[in-house]
Amino acid sequence: MSAHVTTPVKSDNPNVVGIKHMAFAVKDAAKALEAYSRFLCVPAETKIMEYQKSRNRVALFDLGGIEYQLCQSMDPGGRFDAWIAERGGEGLHHICYAVDDIGKALAHAQANGARLRGCKGCGGIEGAHPHPEGYVAFLDNDAGGIEIEFMQVYTPAELEKYKQVKGI
């Protein structure tokens, strides 16, 4: 039996250059990582990082050229724990889109009706702000239940400047 394959329609958004990462809200990052290791050959020795400021545990790994983040709240009612409770289960929390110019990406989104949302990992900062890998911003809109994040990845000089600031 042959499958009918269609060519995907390309977005004309000039600001999005790719997917930076996909973040999944999970109850237990170690248990979720175990499943990814067993079924998709993600290295079992993948580290789970603890971020005290945002109170999250995150397993980071690359799969098929995309960074995956398995995100667990360290506290009951934390960002990912609350998301899981609200939706009734674990799942894809957000997709982070890499952009060349975060200001232009936000202006484009806002011109099309988007609203900005505060960054829950950074105490509610709204709009573009520094994170460990680049400038980020979140939309207060979702697409099919998936939150939207933009990231303008740091240049080497910007990364050096960021290292002087404590991250999330």
Side-chain angles (χ1 to χ4, degrees):
M1 184 189 317
S2 67
H4 178 68
V5 177
T6 60
T7 303
V9 177
K10 185 173 177 351
S11 168
D12 64 355
N13 184 330
N15 304 296
V16 174
V17 296
I19 294 177
K20 172 64 179 87
H21 65 259
M22 297 191 310
F24 296 83
V26 298
K27 294 177 183 174
D28 183 327
K31 193 172 181 180
L33 180 58
E34 181 183 303
Y36 274 88
S37 295
R38 190 170 58 246
F39 302 131
L40 296 166
C41 299
V42 170
E45 63 274 5
T46 299
K47 291 184 179 168
I48 297 174
M49 307 298 292
E50 287 198 358
Y51 297 96
Q52 292 300 320
K53 185 176 177 186
S54 59
R55 303 293 300 151
N56 297 312
R57 285 186 187 94
V58 182
L60 298 167
F61 57 88
D62 183 88
L63 185 61
I66 305 271
E67 179 182 293
Y68 279 59
Q69 300 180 355
L70 306 179
C71 305
Q72 171 192 347
S73 293
M74 292 168 65
D75 304 310
R79 175 182 179 193
F80 298 105
D81 185 62
W83 187 92
I84 290 168
E86 181 181 301
R87 288 180 167 63
E90 300 169 303
L92 181 56
H93 182 270
H94 70 268
I95 299 176
C96 177
Y97 296 94
V99 297
D100 281 332
D101 183 320
I102 198 161
K104 287 182 181 177
L106 292 175
H108 182 270
Q110 289 176 297
N112 286 286
R115 296 174 313 278
L116 299 181
R117 176 178 64 78
C119 176
K120 294 177 183 173
C122 294
I125 297 172
E126 192 173 290
H129 61 285
H131 257 231
E133 296 177 273
Y135 301 103
V136 301
F138 291 86
L139 301 185
D140 197 32
N141 314 81
D142 63 39
I146 309 302
E147 292 183 18
I148 298 169
E149 176 184 10
F150 291 130
M151 180 185 289
Q152 178 183 321
V153 177
Y154 292 134
T155 64
E158 290 169 331
L159 181 58
E160 285 306 312
K161 184 179 175 183
Y162 177 80
K163 287 179 181 178
Q164 316 244 339
V165 179
K166 293 195 178 202
I168 60 171

